[in-house]
Amino acid sequence: SRLEYAPSFNYFLPEPSPMSQSSFIHGFHAVIAKLRHQPQAILEIFIDEGRRDARVRDLLRHAELHAVRVVPVDAKRLEGMAGGGRRHQGVVARVSAEVRPVTLDDVLDTLEEPPFLLILDGIQDPHNLGACLRVADAVGAHAVIAPKDRAVGLTQTAIKVASGAAESVPYVTVTNLARTLRELKERGIWIVGTDAEAETDLYAASWPQACAWVLGAEGDGMRRLTRENCDLRVTIPMLGSVQSLNVSVAAGICLYEARRRMCA
């Protein structure tokens, strides 16, 4: 076990800054990504004192490399910091509130599995954004990507509706979404768009594991350039009288189908 490192971290590092200047992130992917790209933003890491597995040892190696304070705590304390029943996986990090935004490269460069992304093209309703973040967290998506302009942004309402997912799922804003889609394709990531006018049914379509799902704005759908940059466009079967679904519901259907195939 490498948990013996924790006391030495506590010994030589200064006292952490006040809680009012920090927030919590949780989960191994989120914490290790932050350690690799913004170690200076992490004030301390709390680890389940009962874990002794390979993921903990990997995290401790990164923490030791950057001299980040690690504190073994009991599971109840972790649950409190992570916000009740959220899936903290046995690790929570306290990070400085004054840090630069996460970039797409920050996320993709840390992955050891095929990228699984959600892209929101011009979502205007903060409740929809928050709900989409919850879906992304639940299904294990690596990031949610959205344009900086003509989109709602991560407002307090969106954060509240996300119920903690805004802290656990990287939310990446980009200046030019069409260019970002092309860059993702250069990395071998398929762009799959949802489109009511698509000829291919979601359940009949095929796509690789490395994929980014694009959902368009409420009412208008994907913009033209976004649509043109899709490798595949699919439609969700609508068997009743209703002609459309809420964007977060559509995201849930598509992402869980993609996750189901990854696990098959």
Side-chain angles (χ1 to χ4, degrees), residues 1-6 8-10 12-13 32 35-36 39 42 45 47 56-70:
S1 169
R2 299 288 293 275
L3 284 174
E4 298 82 41
Y5 291 151
S8 63
F9 287 170
N10 288 327
F12 71 79
L13 286 184
I32 290 178
L35 272 171
R36 287 178 174 173
I42 298 185
I45 297 172
I47 290 183
V56 168
R57 293 194 294 272
D58 183 47
L59 186 144
L60 286 171
R61 281 194 295 270
H62 284 92
E64 183 183 32
L65 178 64
H66 298 290
V68 174
R69 183 175 189 254
V70 176

Side-chain angles (χ1 to χ4, degrees), residues 9 11 22 104 133-134 167 194 199 211-212 218 238 243:
F9 287 170
Y11 176 75
S22 63
L104 192 53
L133 285 165
R134 290 183 69 177
E167 287 75 40
T194 56
E199 296 181 358
C211 58
E218 305 91 343
M238 303 293 293
Q243 297 300 308

Side-chain angles (χ1 to χ4, degrees), residues 10 15-17 19 24-26 44-49 69-86 88 90-94:
N10 288 327
E15 287 299 312
S17 58
M19 288 285 183
F24 291 106
I25 60 173
H26 54 274
E44 54 193 336
I45 297 172
F46 301 90
I47 290 183
D48 186 338
E49 60 189 3
R69 183 175 189 254
V70 176
V71 184
V73 298
D74 60 46
K76 281 193 174 182
R77 186 174 177 190
L78 286 174
E79 289 175 6
M81 288 185 286
R86 295 175 195 156
H88 53 71
V91 57
V92 175
R94 192 163 67 86

Side-chain angles (χ1 to χ4, degrees), residues 43-195:
L43 303 176
E44 54 193 336
I45 297 172
F46 301 90
I47 290 183
D48 186 338
E49 60 189 3
R51 290 198 62 156
R52 300 289 191 275
D53 54 82
R55 297 192 80 180
V56 168
R57 293 194 294 272
D58 183 47
L59 186 144
L60 286 171
R61 281 194 295 270
H62 284 92
E64 183 183 32
L65 178 64
H66 298 290
V68 174
R69 183 175 189 254
V70 176
V71 184
V73 298
D74 60 46
K76 281 193 174 182
R77 186 174 177 190
L78 286 174
E79 289 175 6
M81 288 185 286
R86 295 175 195 156
R87 297 179 304 157
H88 53 71
Q89 299 178 312
V91 57
V92 175
R94 192 163 67 86
V95 300
S96 170
E98 299 179 358
V99 296
R100 68 175 178 85
V102 66
T103 70
L104 192 53
D105 286 338
D106 289 343
V107 175
L108 297 177
D109 290 347
T110 65
L111 296 181
E112 297 178 356
E113 57 189 356
F116 184 30
L117 309 170
L118 173 61
I119 299 173
L120 302 175
D121 185 15
I123 301 301
Q124 300 292 331
D125 187 337
H127 294 86
N128 283 341
L129 173 57
C132 284
L133 285 165
R134 290 183 69 177
V135 169
D137 174 82
V139 79
H142 297 122
V144 174
I145 303 167
K148 289 181 179 178
D149 299 325
R150 288 181 286 184
V152 63
L154 202 58
T155 66
Q156 287 302 312
T157 297
I159 292 171
K160 182 177 180 180
V161 173
S163 299
E167 287 75 40
S168 60
V169 180
Y171 180 71
V172 181
T173 57
V174 297
T175 303
N176 187 316
L177 184 57
R179 182 171 63 229
T180 297
L181 296 179
R182 292 192 293 270
E183 291 171 352
L184 290 174
K185 292 167 74 166
E186 290 173 358
R187 283 178 173 259
I189 301 170
W190 263 49
I191 310 300
V192 186
T194 56
D195 188 344

